[in-house]
Amino acid sequence: MNPQRATSATNNDAGHSRESSDIPLSVYDLTVAYHRKPVLWDVGFDVPAGALVGVVGPNGAGKSTLLKAVMDLIPRASGRIQVFGKSYQHNRRRVGYVPQRETVDWDFPVDALDVVTMGLYSEIGWCFPIRKKHRDIAQDALNRVGIGDLAHRQISQLSGGQQQRTFLARALVQDADLYLMDEPFAAVDAATERAIVEILREMKERGKTAIVIHHDLQTVPEYFDYVVLLNMRVVAHGPTNDIFTPENLQKTYGGRLTLLDQVSEAMRRRERSL
Amino acid sequence: MISRRCTAALTVACCALLVCSTLHAQPSPVSPRSIDKRTESTSWNQSLRVIFLRDYNTRVVVFGTTLLGCAGGMVGSFTLLRKRALMGDALSHATLPGIVLAFIIATRFGLDGKSLPFLLSGATVSGLLGVGVILLIRQRTRLKEDTALGAVLSVFFGGGLALLSVSQQMQQGHVAGLESFIYGKTASMGAHDIRLIMLAAIVCIGICLLLFKEFKLLCFDEEFAASRGFPVMRLDIVLMALVVTICIVGLQAVGIVLVIALLIIPAAAARFWTDQLSSMFAISGGLGALGGMVGAEISALFSRLPSGAMIVLVYTLLFSASMLLGRRRGVLIRGLRRLRLNRQIDRQHLLRAIYELRELTISATRNKFEPTRNQGFDVDRMQLLAKRSWSAGRLGTAIRRAVRDGLVRVDGDDITLTDEGMVEAARLTRQHRLWELYLITYAEIAPSRVDRDADAIEHVLEPEVISELEGLLARRYTDVPASPHDLGTASISPSLRPPGSEA
């Protein structure tokens, strides 16, 4: 994939990890297979600090699998992952995760504040009770995502966008340096989408990094300054301006021209606005 | 949270104290005089002794089943939410061959076949084996978990029954007590057995309280828990171990067939009362304890009745009551809510129908009415009936209610909006049109947000979206009912528009 980096990683491992310790995420030759079918194949890329990174690719391209493999949630067939130069387990506290909204049962008997507080459980520690200061942190996070007044609403009574904001708030309470988000913009209303983008930009200003799985190609140039084009393998990765081109998207998605037209239109809009 | 923990800890401490005092208290000596005096009131006296727990044995048994019920309810609220409720059933059924085998082996070696530790370890081994087979089938084949569960449950139980009849033909040892495991019989339990039950129940309750927050996270979002570094697998095993413990120690009191009731029914009943896990946990524990206590007492009162069946019947009563009366999700409260909603919708339809008929007339005659002022415009019943597909009876009811609320006046066959009704009708019509437009404009995401109760639009949608919709509304209808709320005049930037709305 990237022979240059591969050699530097093998020849000079110690020096490499020291110099890459401020790189939020490095993925080397990652292969993941379910049963005998590979889902990710020799995936490798770096993510620069303080970037908003969009991970883009067709359905079944392995986007969610990539995030899960980064967090050791599924076994890797091969490859290595470094989070700020160390293993994920070592730097777990610096990573915040926003899973897909559909992965949980929203009929569960908890309210929004409870869900957000879950982001603090590992800091509270085993068997220790939740205290007022933890609930205050959670309430602050809910205020930040704009649904502070819904803190005590049962989660099934929240709209889709509000549920997504609750998940985002749960990741925010950790004050992590790297955020992994699995389709936070899926099926949310315009106001929620704008709120999430605002929070992403605010994170970026504070030097945080976010890796976001995204489906809407039209908004990629507007939201992200770095993209990873994924379809089982990395088709291309780099700054949006260089990488998010019709040719690369053609390689990622195959010949779906209507999509590509939308993209070139979106890129033109971006150029005009710049 | 803190106070909840404190009370819970106190409860456990009290229970422990009670247990100790029960077990150390000597059976109250019965004076010979009272025996002599026994006449027709004997059975009544006996009943009273049972009810007020004056008998040492009854007292011990009742405390045991109470604690067991409480622990079952607490563990059950987690397994229910983890959607593992039936695992306990398979497990308990799978214990039978183990119990009988342990008995056979023990008698062969000349030991006391009915010593509880033997039987229960046999039960544990074969129960775990059953669960293991289920997991194996699920992993290695394409069969679903419920299929594997049903198959293993019946095969193990059938095997156990076969072994039981074999053991009945054995020469040594009498097998009579073993059947009590199938249906549960507290009468066959000794103080030692009950001490074991109490100890196990207290340990289970303690673990549930200590790991409350961790179990909550595990049941709600396993993946997130794993990403935060919680050992999800080990937590799951602890939870399963609690289920195993409850099932095994519950075997004697409740029986193989019914022990699952301890884990499912109180938790399911508690869910009707609350939307908070901590209260569900407490209520479930409470209901479990109550059922265990009352069931064991009934069984002690009428010595022919098996305790397991009695406990389950009491649970059934508690469950039915919760299902009917539950404050959050009970059948009655839901029915009431639906009825109220239907009435509200009927009223909204009535007011909107009158408003729209009036609107039509105004635009037809090009009259210069002030649209939101009531000018004594009236409609008749036939017009309203033709406007919607509602029965005359339903319309009549809706009109009567509206009259009572002072929204419309009825004069013979003519129906007029009052001033108050006019304001309300204009507001409802506007809301309805906004929702309609929202459904059209945001077809992708709208269904998850539409609130059938149109009153709530300002609470659900953001002001920007509303003002955008109002722009669209103004283009579509000539007469837009004015908004009763001040929504601000925020202009909408093009980026906020959903894809496709530019056209």
Side-chain angles (χ1 to χ4, degrees), chain B residues 138-153:
Chain B
R138 195 186 59 181
Q139 240 169 25
R140 289 296 158 87
T141 71
R142 311 192 111 198
L143 291 176
K144 297 278 174 289
E145 186 165 310
D146 55 341
T147 318
L149 226 136
V152 167
L153 182 151

Side-chain angles (χ1 to χ4, degrees), chain B residues 56-333:
Chain B
Y56 175 71
N57 277 335
T58 328
R59 190 167 25 173
V60 170
V61 168
V62 168
F63 274 127
T65 49
T66 306
L67 270 180
L68 181 68
C70 180
M74 287 176 171
V75 174
S77 53
F78 290 120
T79 49
L80 187 86
L81 291 171
R82 189 129 175 77
K83 302 186 175 71
R84 289 272 170 80
L86 276 180
M87 203 54 124
D89 200 25
L91 193 135
S92 58
H93 277 80
T95 55
L96 187 58
I99 294 174
V100 185
L101 272 180
F103 173 77
I104 293 177
I105 293 170
T107 14
R108 269 285 143 83
F109 285 97
L111 297 162
D112 174 19
K114 282 199 211 138
S115 101
L116 201 59
F118 264 134
L119 297 182
L120 291 192
S121 19
T124 314
V125 170
S126 84
L128 289 179
L129 196 70
V131 172
V133 173
I134 292 172
L135 295 179
L136 206 69
I137 292 178
R138 195 186 59 181
Q139 240 169 25
R140 289 296 158 87
T141 71
R142 311 192 111 198
L143 291 176
K144 297 278 174 289
E145 186 165 310
D146 55 341
T147 318
L149 226 136
V152 167
L153 182 151
S154 42
V155 166
F156 271 70
F157 194 59
L161 287 179
L163 278 172
L164 194 62
S165 68
V166 168
S167 72
Q168 271 159 351
Q169 285 147 28
M170 276 167 50
Q171 296 299 314
Q172 325 109 300
H174 52 123
V175 80
L178 286 193
E179 278 113 354
S180 71
F181 278 100
I182 299 181
Y183 305 112
K185 198 167 182 205
T186 40
S188 66
M189 302 195 304
H192 274 286
D193 308 346
I194 292 176
R195 207 173 300 181
L196 179 75
I197 291 182
M198 288 183 179
L199 188 72
I202 290 174
V203 169
C204 285
I205 294 173
I207 292 179
C208 279
L209 289 173
L210 274 178
L211 295 180
F212 183 82
K213 149 173 131 287
E214 285 76 15
F215 281 153
K216 179 174 170 181
L217 182 58
L218 175 77
C219 296
F220 177 63
D221 195 348
E222 184 183 344
E223 200 172 75
F224 184 78
S227 82
R228 299 267 45 80
F230 284 99
V232 169
M233 180 82 146
R234 263 174 270 168
L235 268 175
D236 221 3
I237 289 173
V238 173
L239 189 56
M240 269 317 280
L242 294 181
V243 172
V244 172
T245 313
I246 298 285
C247 282
I248 300 290
V249 301
L251 283 180
Q252 248 195 328
V254 193
I256 287 174
V257 191
L258 297 176
V259 76
I260 187 65
L262 292 179
L263 290 166
I264 292 187
I265 299 181
R271 189 70 184 90
F272 288 112
W273 293 99
T274 174
D275 274 335
Q276 275 290 322
L277 181 60
S278 43
S279 2
M280 176 181 163
F281 181 76
I283 294 172
S284 177
L287 289 178
L290 186 65
M293 187 170 81
V294 177
E297 285 218 11
I298 294 176
S299 159
L301 271 180
F302 310 97
S303 54
R304 293 256 176 91
L305 295 175
S307 54
M310 287 306 106
I311 292 176
V312 172
L313 284 180
V314 176
Y315 275 180
T316 313
L317 272 179
L318 294 175
F319 179 81
S320 314
S322 307
M323 193 170 79
L324 268 178
L325 307 171
R327 212 162 51 88
R328 287 284 160 183
R329 311 180 144 215
V331 172
L332 283 181
I333 195 92

Side-chain angles (χ1 to χ4, degrees), chain B residues 255-413:
Chain B
I256 287 174
V257 191
L258 297 176
V259 76
I260 187 65
L262 292 179
L263 290 166
I264 292 187
I265 299 181
R271 189 70 184 90
F272 288 112
W273 293 99
T274 174
D275 274 335
Q276 275 290 322
L277 181 60
S278 43
S279 2
M280 176 181 163
F281 181 76
I283 294 172
S284 177
L287 289 178
L290 186 65
M293 187 170 81
V294 177
E297 285 218 11
I298 294 176
S299 159
L301 271 180
F302 310 97
S303 54
R304 293 256 176 91
L305 295 175
S307 54
M310 287 306 106
I311 292 176
V312 172
L313 284 180
V314 176
Y315 275 180
T316 313
L317 272 179
L318 294 175
F319 179 81
S320 314
S322 307
M323 193 170 79
L324 268 178
L325 307 171
R327 212 162 51 88
R328 287 284 160 183
R329 311 180 144 215
V331 172
L332 283 181
I333 195 92
R334 284 168 74 121
L336 205 67
R337 271 190 220 129
R338 198 171 316 127
L339 193 71
R340 215 178 281 156
L341 184 66
N342 283 349
R343 282 184 184 176
Q344 212 171 345
I345 287 172
D346 275 353
R347 198 188 69 180
Q348 290 170 2
H349 282 161
L350 174 73
L351 294 181
R352 195 156 56 84
I354 301 176
Y355 187 90
E356 281 176 355
L357 283 171
R358 183 173 169 278
E359 199 178 50
L360 271 177
T361 324
I362 292 166
S363 64
T365 55
R366 302 205 173 284
N367 217 333
K368 294 281 181 211
F369 277 128
E370 178 71 22
T372 50
R373 273 285 146 70
N374 195 11
Q375 300 275 340
F377 176 86
D378 51 23
V379 292
D380 60 39
R381 252 167 227 266
M382 291 319 286
Q383 275 178 298
L384 283 174
L385 265 179
K387 184 94 172 107
R388 299 194 64 85
S389 59
W390 45 18
S391 66
R394 196 161 176 181
L395 175 63
T397 319
I399 292 175
R400 266 200 308 284
R401 279 211 192 85
V403 170
R404 199 190 54 204
D405 296 343
L407 295 170
V408 301
R409 268 192 306 272
V410 179
D411 187 13
D413 216 20

Side-chain angles (χ1 to χ4, degrees), chain A residues 129-170:
Chain A
I130 299 157
R131 292 181 191 287
K132 185 171 180 302
K133 81 173 175 214
H134 303 124
R135 276 193 290 269
D136 288 347
I137 297 173
Q139 181 65 54
D140 281 348
L142 276 174
N143 295 343
R144 258 180 85 189
V145 298
I147 52 167
D149 50 334
L150 303 178
H152 295 292
R153 198 177 276 196
Q154 207 262 325
I155 53 173
S156 66
Q157 312 282 317
L158 299 172
S159 74
Q162 290 159 350
Q163 291 175 346
Q164 191 63 61
R165 292 189 202 200
T166 309
F167 261 14
L168 189 64
R170 183 175 67 171

